[in-house]
Amino acid sequence: MMDLRRGRLLLVVFVLHQLCLASVFVSANVVFKVQHKFAGREKSWAALRAHDARRHGRILSAIDLPLGGNGHPTDTALYFAKIGIGTPSKDYYVQVDTGSDILWVNCAGCDNCPKKSDIGIELRLYDPKGSSSGEVVTCEEDFCTTYFETPLSGCKVGTVCPYRVTYGDGSSTMGYFVKDNVQLDRVSGNRQTTSMNGTIVFGCGAKQSGQLGSSSTALDGLLGFGQANSSMISQLASARKVKKMFAHCLDGINGGGIFAIGEVVQPKLNSTPLVPNQAHYNVIMKAIEVGGDVLQLPTDVFDTEAGKGTIIDSGTTLAYLPQEVFTPLMTKVMALHPDLELQTVEQQFTCFQYSGKVDDGFPDVIFHFENSLSLKVYPHDYLFQIRNDVWCIGWQNNGMQSNDKKLTLLGDLALSNKLVLYDLEKQTIGWAEYNCSLGIKVKDEQSGDVYLVGAHDLSSACSLNAWRTLTLLLLMAMLLNFIY
Ligand SMILES: *[C@@H]1O[C@H](CO)[C@@H](O)[C@H](O)[C@H]1NC(C)=O
Ligand SMILES: *[C@@H]1O[C@H](CO)[C@@H](O)[C@H](O)[C@H]1NC(C)=O
Ligand SMILES: *[C@@H]1O[C@H](CO)[C@@H](O)[C@H](O)[C@H]1NC(C)=O
């Protein structure tokens, strides 16, 4: 059965921690009293929540996910993170994906799981039997029936609860759900963290295909930051460990950046509402301005029903526009340079020779959203340099790609060097241009203290050049359908 609700976008945020020690940024720590609005959660999550609540009381923490990599199409195009799983806890490196809804890691005995990676990390297979806190989730358990929204047909008591996810680039993962401790960095002070753990249900990967199998870009798994109840952040929120909010600042200049769970108090951000009942982070676009002129566009490009509208997805490297938007936008972008000779590079990028300063020679592109929030994309963001004087265009035409021809997908090209805050409690998303190196501030609700969450330059600390080869796969990942 097709379950379009679970469509996913491949997001590519990696976190590299140890490799480039001294890593990263530290998040701030927030501790809150539990609020009554959490009280009415559905039964399926009650057991986990009660279990955790007993052990940890009513505390909401902020969590720091160390982030590395960068989003340059011609460089790493990747951001990644590290989490600890099991007892004793072992480290796993995972992509962070705002477009999908579960955490999974490659498991012992897996078919076609990657054995080595050129990224410079040592891959590890998770083995539920090797963790004293690991348990297999069976198909009659609440998590399983909730995940499938119905009791699983053919479920025999005691058999596993299967999962399968197909991402936008066609790669897929399948396996079964397990439950174990996940170890995270809880912010405990200014630039300080202490370890905290929570029980999470996640996928144990038994078979990988496409890019998720053997490849130079292999990692241990993927961490979905979607809104569904199955995502790690939803489970942690359900267990009253965190507020359902997270933020990222992807540093497109230095690489690395910030990825934190919790409430950001500084900088203050304006926000726009999320479109209700969508699987992804959809927002309501009102207009597009190029070089000061508003594009005249058919009104249906601003419709918000499924398969249309605008998705904010930090896991996508470039930006994908429907044909009706792409064509007038490119006409305006190139208007001052009718003589530029366009060439196709690597069969997918439109490039040209230009020796001037791109910010002087090309217009800014501004997307306007509901609530007067705008997103400005500078020429140096949407043009990327592949060689001396050779620049390629980051805007991509969705026209030819898939069913989702009406979809606008804004990826890292538009989101880098901005602080983006997802408030899933208020159902808003906000952003502002931001220098990630300045860090962000998070308030500890209990003490009222405000802590600084800093960022580090991982890309220069680590040698990630081997990644150059991998990039492009990620670029392609757009409008995905997900089959279940
Ligand atoms: C997640 O849980 C909440 C609270 O019980 C419920 O209202 C909501 O419908 C669930 N969402 C999904 C996508 O299952
Ligand atoms: C997780 O927390 C519990 C209690 O807070 C502790 O006993 C356990 O050792 C922790 N697990 C790991 C792997 O640190
Ligand atoms: C960002 O902030 C850092 C630290 O203050 C500073 O060194 C750097 O020049 C700033 N970058 C930009 C682009 O302003």
Side-chain angles (χ1 to χ4, degrees):
M1 179 161 162
M2 288 288 273
D3 183 354
L4 297 175
R5 190 181 60 78
R6 296 192 195 281
R8 271 122 167 127
L9 299 173
L10 178 59
L11 158 42
V12 191
V13 178
F14 282 23
V15 181
L16 180 98
H17 187 53
Q18 293 185 317
L19 213 182
C20 317
L21 45 124
S23 70
V24 210
F25 48 88
V26 183
S27 267
N29 183 4
V30 190
V31 183
F32 299 97
K33 289 261 166 63
V34 161
Q35 296 168 11
H36 292 304
K37 68 171 116 164
F38 287 101
R41 297 279 161 173
E42 64 198 349
K43 246 196 243 138
S44 7
W45 305 90
L48 270 184
R49 184 183 69 231
H51 173 72
D52 287 328
R54 268 197 306 280
R55 289 196 318 184
H56 300 290
R58 294 145 68 94
I59 293 180
L60 296 173
S61 308
I63 290 170
D64 195 4
L65 281 173
L67 197 66
N70 73 46
H72 300 166
T74 52
D75 198 344
T76 69
L78 300 170
Y79 293 90
F80 54 90
K82 186 197 77 158
I83 55 172
I85 303 177
T87 310
S89 174
K90 293 180 181 157
D91 290 340
Y92 298 84
Y93 295 90
V94 290
Q95 302 178 7
V96 182
D97 178 9
T98 55
S100 64
D101 295 319
I102 63 167
L103 162 67
W104 61 263
V105 292
N106 293 318
C107 262
C110 149
D111 180 8
N112 195 37
C113 274
K115 294 195 175 51
K116 65 185 268 299
S117 172
D118 294 342
I119 292 170
I121 57 174
E122 205 179 313
L123 297 180
R124 186 192 293 281
L125 297 173
Y126 170 77
D127 183 356
K129 293 198 206 75
S131 167
S132 65
S133 47
E135 278 172 50
V136 170
V137 172
T138 55
C139 62
E140 77 279 7
E141 286 186 47
D142 287 342
F143 181 94
C144 197
T145 47
T146 305
Y147 184 75
F148 288 101
E149 291 171 346
T150 159
L152 198 58
S153 68
C155 171
K156 293 202 187 66
V157 171
T159 58
V160 300
C161 176
Y163 81 87
R164 180 191 160 124
V165 182
T166 301
Y167 297 96
D169 62 351
S171 60
S172 71
T173 172
M174 59 201 291
Y176 54 93
F177 283 111
V178 293
K179 183 167 20 180
D180 204 345
N181 274 336
V182 171
Q183 203 105 27
L184 297 162
D185 292 339
R186 173 184 168 200
V187 180
S188 57
N190 225 355
R191 293 182 180 278
Q192 275 178 7
T193 60
T194 53
S195 136
M196 74 166 241
N197 69 40
T199 306
I200 296 292
V201 175
F202 57 94
C204 189
K207 187 174 196 310
Q208 313 299 2
S209 69
Q211 237 348 68
L212 297 173
S214 313
S215 83
S216 55
T217 59
L219 285 168
D220 294 320
L222 188 146
L223 174 51
F225 260 88
Q227 312 194 53
N229 288 340
S230 56
S231 66
M232 183 180 81
I233 186 169
S234 294
Q235 293 187 50
L236 290 172
S238 216
R240 304 179 181 192
K241 286 174 178 288
V242 299
K243 278 195 149 183
K244 219 169 162 181
M245 306 176 165
F246 65 97
H248 56 68
C249 189
L250 306 176
D251 190 329
I253 299 161
N254 301 312
I258 303 170
F259 203 115
I261 300 175
E263 187 174 10
V264 177
V265 297
Q266 202 188 320
K268 288 256 178 280
L269 302 177
N270 290 329
S271 63
T272 189
L274 288 169
V275 179
N277 307 316
Q278 299 275 331
H280 303 297
Y281 295 116
N282 294 52
V283 290
I284 305 160
M285 187 152 59
K286 305 294 249 186
I288 302 173
E289 192 182 326
V290 182
D293 295 335
V294 173
L295 297 182
Q296 298 305 309
L297 298 169
T299 55
D300 72 339
V301 305
F302 301 123
D303 287 352
T304 56
E305 66 255 42
K308 295 184 175 182
T310 305
I311 294 178
I312 300 298
D313 182 36
S314 52
T316 293
T317 304
L318 299 173
Y320 292 74
L321 306 170
Q323 174 111 36
E324 300 99 306
V325 174
F326 179 81
T327 307
L329 182 138
M330 285 305 300
T331 305
K332 277 298 271 178
V333 162
M334 303 306 287
L336 295 174
H337 308 284
D339 303 333
L340 283 181
E341 204 172 301
L342 301 180
Q343 57 188 99
T344 301
V345 171
E346 295 177 31
Q347 284 144 35
Q348 52 186 323
F349 296 116
T350 301
C351 308
F352 54 83
Q353 198 133 14
Y354 188 78
S355 53
K357 275 189 154 169
V358 293
D359 280 337
D360 296 339
F362 294 85
D364 296 339
V365 174
I366 306 177
F367 296 93
H368 292 275
F369 297 94
E370 181 80 28
N371 243 3
S372 306
L373 185 65
S374 61
L375 184 69
K376 190 182 214 176
V377 186
Y378 295 94
H380 68 259
D381 293 322
Y382 69 73
L383 297 174
F384 58 94
Q385 195 168 18
I386 54 166
R387 290 193 288 281
N388 273 352
D389 293 354
V390 179
W391 294 82
C392 300
I393 299 165
W395 304 114
Q396 304 291 302
N397 184 358
N398 230 333
M400 267 93 63
Q401 289 208 354
S402 92
N403 314 329
D404 298 314
K405 292 184 173 113
K406 298 285 189 188
L407 211 50
T408 297
L409 189 59
L410 300 177
D412 297 343
L413 171 159
L415 303 176
S416 296
N417 309 314
K418 295 183 175 77
L419 178 64
V420 183
L421 176 65
Y422 304 72
D423 185 338
L424 307 185
E425 298 190 350
K426 293 206 190 93
Q427 286 289 297
T428 62
I429 182 169
W431 55 73
E433 284 180 35
Y434 201 64
N435 178 346
C436 303
S437 320
L438 299 176
I440 59 177
K441 287 186 176 168
V442 181
K443 189 172 156 207
D444 181 308
E445 283 292 299
Q446 224 167 35
S447 63
D449 290 341
V450 168
Y451 297 124
L452 181 72
V453 177
H456 272 248
D457 171 3
L458 285 183
S459 295
S460 66
C462 322
S463 172
L464 298 174
N465 286 341
W467 295 20
R468 276 175 190 277
T469 46
L470 17 132
T471 45
L472 303 179
L473 305 161
L474 304 169
L475 307 183
M476 324 244 22
M478 306 318 86
L479 315 176
L480 358 107
N481 284 318
F482 164 76
I483 296 147
Y484 214 78

